[in-house]
Amino acid sequence: MPIYNAPVKDLQFVLHDLLKVSEQDIPGFEDLDPEFTGAVIEEAGRVASEVLAPLNMVGDVEGCVLEDGVVRTPTGFKDALKVMKDGGWTAMDCDPEYGGQGLPYVMHTAAQELMVSANMAFQMYQGLTHGAYSAIHVHGSDAQKQKFLPKMVTCEWTGTMNLTEPHCGTDLGLMRTKAVPQDDGSYKITGQKIFISAGDHDMADNIIHLVLARIPGGPDGIKGVSLFIVPKIIVNDDGSLGDRNGVSVGKIEAKMGIHGNSTCVMNYDDAEGYMIGEMHKGMRAMFVMMNEARLGVGLQGYAQAEVAYQNAVVYANDRLQGRAVTGVENPDGPADPLIVHPDIRRNLMDQKSFVEGARALILWGTYLIDRAHKNDDADADGLITLLTPVMKGFLTDKGFEYATAAQQVYGGHGYIEESGMSQFARDARIAMIYEGANGVQALDLVGRKLAQDGGKHVMAFFEMVKTFIKDNEGNAALKADFLDPLKAASKDMQAAGMYFMQNGVKNPNHALAGSYDFMHMMGHVCLGLMWARMGKAAMDALEAGASDKDFYETKIATGRYYMARQLPATAMHLARINTGADTVMALEASQF
Amino acid sequence: MPIYNAPVKDLQFVLHDLLKVSEQDIPGFEDLDPEFTGAVIEEAGRVASEVLAPLNMVGDVEGCVLEDGVVRTPTGFKDALKVMKDGGWTAMDCDPEYGGQGLPYVMHTAAQELMVSANMAFQMYQGLTHGAYSAIHVHGSDAQKQKFLPKMVTCEWTGTMNLTEPHCGTDLGLMRTKAVPQDDGSYKITGQKIFISAGDHDMADNIIHLVLARIPGGPDGIKGVSLFIVPKIIVNDDGSLGDRNGVSVGKIEAKMGIHGNSTCVMNYDDAEGYMIGEMHKGMRAMFVMMNEARLGVGLQGYAQAEVAYQNAVVYANDRLQGRAVTGVENPDGPADPLIVHPDIRRNLMDQKSFVEGARALILWGTYLIDRAHKNDDADADGLITLLTPVMKGFLTDKGFEYATAAQQVYGGHGYIEESGMSQFARDARIAMIYEGANGVQALDLVGRKLAQDGGKHVMAFFEMVKTFIKDNEGNAALKADFLDPLKAASKDMQAAGMYFMQNGVKNPNHALAGSYDFMHMMGHVCLGLMWARMGKAAMDALEAGASDKDFYETKIATGRYYMARQLPATAMHLARINTGADTVMALEASQF
């Protein structure tokens, strides 16, 4: 069975050496000293390794089963959710008014990584509940909040998000599900939603569906879509559970992965629902959930790569095959371990340097969210809005790529389900698709985010990179290995932005044909920035006489690898972008 | 259910416009006129689309089942193999002396593509039989050939190759299976082999296992390994079937894909075997099978990408989602088809330009094999020996990448098994692993093939590229779009070779740390060369007044895309290679 160990030191390094969370002037951050965060991460890691990880393959093999209209989750999932509730892991950053612990989002995210690495399909039940909680928390009425949030904070009731219909996913303006107003102010919801993660299951007393639907007579397209709370079981005014609502499971989808999560076709048949937020402004309310979910999905990408990497390292050290070309390293054994071979190293370093950079990026992103929300910081908000599609698109593409690369280390054994390596890749695959397929993220980035507020946020991003380089140019150790590659990559990105500006006006396809490459290019610059900062942080720690020299030296060496071997990708992306739309759009549809 | 249509025109284009097969001075090629090859490909395509493709998902869902020691194949497989036998599809290039049709290998390969696209797991039963046939044909005694080949040519008896053991795959010198000589000249084989594709099944009267084993008292390591024929059922001298041999199935592996193929643990327990080829030179005999198998696996890579691409095109034309940014294209519908969006185009063009380039490369490769074998052409043999690891490694990496990219076009629907898109990706995944994991291909290329015969073959490859560029420099249409990018990519590759020469002597890790990048770089140069040649062939056809203008123009536009958007990858690979081993080997094993 695959192993999983919480990367406690790495998380602590990001929180304290890199982000210096306890020194930030953000309400609540003053409590995040290393002792406290270390204790939380250690304990979350224990739950992840001991409770959730052992159920990961169980979930994959058993999957979810629909029996007599009820979804049965895999063996052990119900008990595990109880452990999560009892430990308070479902409520870390939730509002204390509804039973949460009110910790910063960055702290919640650090703990989430561990749960997602250990068992992504399981953790989705909680993740979706958290998203639904957030949407109600921001847009719900007081009565709605009082009625639903306390039970959702504990996962006694779980949540879902219902957007997709059989004929529309990305283009939600085509939606058909309707919501007919009733005399008592409620609505009757009728329609079919598909791909509903955690749509039904046997682990909670109730399920609170957030459903997008169209009120008849409203505007066409996306501007006529409103958001509704539709509980599986009607909640009486005294909080007790009443009748079954008109919600049922059509079927469970057979999927490539995340078998442990019940992905349902949900049928709404005159189901009672309550509008949340403003009429016809459902997408605005849903976006609270979706932006949060997109960072969470970016996290899934690198969290799967992390657990896959850990297992690849074990295998590379255990498996004896061939001899080091520079001389025998295991003379007493019949062969040397795989890890002596340069191409195995190359593969493992690709994985390691990605995962650690991605972790820094996501935690920095959630720190920006904390800053935006708690300090009303518009700059932080603008920056995370810009970066969200990059974090989602780039980290999930690479997360899948490296989960697959980790599987490759196992050779034939990686293709056998028993190794667990296939599951990591299959589970990671969905992250490139849901919450907006990665092509849509690229479109969002280039077609919308770059130009938002007159391009202010992307300019601020470039400025941030430039300032960091300038401020540290005197540091010779940092300059050659970190700052120079970062500068080159950032220049490539600026050149691409220039190309878009100069050519996109004439023909927007010249920009959009390069959108995917731009998303990846910006991802590399982001990880390059994270590594330059981490390199500096590690050098600072060594200079200050840190006791764990080996840890910091490893960090610097890993960063050097990323800068030397991954950042050159930006030049390739720029070359592709600079060819514009001509070859991309050359064919007629019939010529494919 | 997924569709599959044989790319008849594309195959004909490669055979006739590119390779000009019927004009070649190779025995047997004179019969390969367009009418003949067209008729064969059309008919093979019919079998592939109508018989094999409908069983692809059946194989995936049902898989193979071990019951009472016997493997049951999925519904319909047995009948389909009968169709293959009756149609002569199992014997196209086999020796007429043993019932084959004696057609060139290139023709066999063109037909194979169709079968592999339609149903890879099914086609492996025949593919492995063909490999075992070849090994016996080259290294077997006359008596062995007479006894086994006629039935293998028809797939009445199928074949397997048994190399891997639980503790060794790549490093076969560690092998433990032993072969004890008997008084009658036979051997008793005892040991366990794993990952044996088509190891057992219910579709043939007998299974002829080729098994590597060690004769006690022989040299240690790989130099003490010999190859044996071990039939599942003993074949009497009169050709009738006798007793069950000491071969049994331990279990069937649960795999990520190719469920329709029975991947078995095979137990040999004093099984009767007959040595083939020379004692202790089993690897030499097995390599006949392995080199052929490596090209076949490269073919699997692009063949899976081809069928996935075909389905992605259908979906991109059917699925209505969003509007073209340059103006509505489907005013009567609720939205435009996906194919209007530049990023969908980018994705489809990536797939299309890869698959068509890969097809040309593999067919050129098999043409080289024909030339090497039938004309005793040492240059052709040297070239295909050099290119084999590139064809295996690059085409399977990219084949999986693009099968996954095709899945992405489907959005959420691609993650649902019902669409069939997941299966294409899962099936394609194994091609990166078996017949030597792609890291081993890269090692073979850089550690062995580049320097073979004093570097003669790689120099010949560069010379071929250079000559093509020089010969066509006067062609303005070809120069800017095809020759200049090819020249740049080829220069990158030469620079990498130079880096290896200058630094690999000091420390071989400097070369091996860049081996994977070099394999990909060379793959791009190969596809660039193929596209430059195809571009010229298409321009020549247009100039000669070819009637199918649309087809040739599409070919040129697709080639332009590859040259503009894919070849720039070589510069990135060179940048990675030029950093050498320093960052790759920086960590201690304990620091991972």
Side-chain angles (χ1 to χ4, degrees), chain A residues 166 169-171 254 256-257 319 321-322 342 345 404 407-408 415 417 426 429 432 550 565 576 587 591, chain B residues 166 169-171 254 256-257 319 321-322 345 404 407-408 415 417 426 429 432 550 565 576 579 587 591:
Chain A
T170 301
D171 190 354
M256 186 177 185
R319 177 81 169 176
Q321 209 80 178
R345 290 289 184 121
T404 304
Q407 181 188 21
Q408 190 73 11
Y415 199 66
E417 291 293 350
R426 289 185 290 100
R429 181 69 184 87
M432 296 158 70
D550 188 62
R565 288 224 155 210
R576 284 172 59 105
L587 300 187
Q591 291 176 314
Chain B
T170 301
D171 191 352
M256 186 178 186
R319 178 80 170 174
Q321 211 78 178
R345 290 288 184 122
T404 304
Q407 181 188 22
Q408 189 73 8
Y415 200 66
E417 292 292 352
R426 290 185 288 99
R429 180 70 184 89
M432 296 158 69
D550 189 62
R565 288 223 155 213
R576 284 171 61 103
T579 65
L587 299 186
Q591 291 175 314

Side-chain angles (χ1 to χ4, degrees), chain A residues 95 98 128-153 157-160 207-211 227-231 274-277 282 284-290 292:
Chain A
D95 189 341
Y98 306 103
L128 284 153
T129 307
H130 192 276
Y133 157 89
S134 297
I136 297 174
H137 191 250
V138 175
H139 289 281
S141 67
D142 277 346
Q144 288 171 338
K145 290 197 248 186
Q146 294 297 343
K147 196 168 192 173
F148 296 106
L149 294 190
K151 297 281 190 184
M152 293 175 76
V153 159
W157 302 349
T158 64
T160 71
I207 299 176
I208 311 304
H209 302 288
L210 292 195
V211 183
L227 184 62
F228 300 88
I229 297 173
V230 184
Y274 322 106
M275 191 156 67
I276 168 170
R284 189 186 293 177
M286 192 55 112
F287 256 108
V288 171
M289 209 164 165
M290 278 167 66
E292 181 185 305

Side-chain angles (χ1 to χ4, degrees), chain A residues 229-241:
Chain A
I229 297 173
V230 184
K232 175 180 174 179
I233 300 169
I234 302 284
V235 181
N236 298 322
D237 286 342
D238 64 358
S240 65
L241 294 181

Side-chain angles (χ1 to χ4, degrees), chain A residues 348-409:
Chain A
L348 292 176
M349 289 302 291
D350 276 346
Q351 298 169 46
K352 180 177 172 64
S353 64
F354 162 72
V355 167
E356 295 179 20
R359 174 180 296 121
L361 183 62
I362 283 284
L363 289 181
W364 179 51
T366 49
Y367 151 84
L368 288 173
I369 289 178
D370 277 325
R371 181 169 281 286
H373 289 178
K374 300 194 176 173
N375 295 17
D376 261 333
D377 185 328
D379 291 341
D381 189 59
L383 199 51
I384 188 61
T385 303
L386 170 73
L387 293 173
T388 294
V390 180
M391 294 188 184
K392 196 282 184 184
F394 180 69
L395 299 188
T396 58
D397 275 1
K398 290 288 170 184
F400 174 69
E401 180 181 336
Y402 293 126
T404 304
Q407 181 188 21
Q408 190 73 11
V409 173

Side-chain angles (χ1 to χ4, degrees), chain B residues 21 24 36 61 105 176 194 236 262 265 277 300 338 383 386 416 484 487 502 504 520 536 575 578 581 584-585 587 590:
Chain B
V21 285
Q24 301 297 327
F36 174 72
V61 171
Y105 192 50
R176 291 179 194 147
I194 64 171
N236 298 321
S262 58
V265 172
Q300 289 179 334
L338 285 180
L383 198 51
L386 169 73
I416 307 299
D484 290 349
K487 190 187 257 179
Q502 287 170 345
H520 272 251
K536 177 174 154 46
N578 278 339
V584 175
M585 305 301 287
L587 299 186
S590 62

Side-chain angles (χ1 to χ4, degrees), chain A residues 439-512:
Chain A
V440 175
Q441 303 299 328
L443 178 65
D444 178 45
L445 175 65
V446 170
R448 196 180 302 148
K449 298 292 173 62
L450 282 188
Q452 210 167 38
D453 299 326
K456 187 179 151 190
H457 308 300
V458 72
M459 295 312 293
F461 176 79
F462 284 133
E463 198 54 38
M464 174 186 297
V465 173
K466 212 167 118 187
T467 305
F468 180 81
I469 293 172
K470 213 175 138 195
D471 287 353
N472 293 284
E473 253 169 354
N475 184 335
L478 209 59
K479 187 167 183 311
D481 293 344
F482 290 90
L483 303 183
D484 291 347
L486 178 60
K487 191 187 256 179
S490 174
K491 272 194 179 164
D492 286 340
M493 187 178 146
Q494 287 180 62
M498 194 60 77
Y499 177 87
F500 290 160
M501 280 206 285
Q502 288 171 343
N503 299 277
V505 182
K506 283 178 280 181
N507 177 358
N509 285 348
H510 282 312
L512 298 181

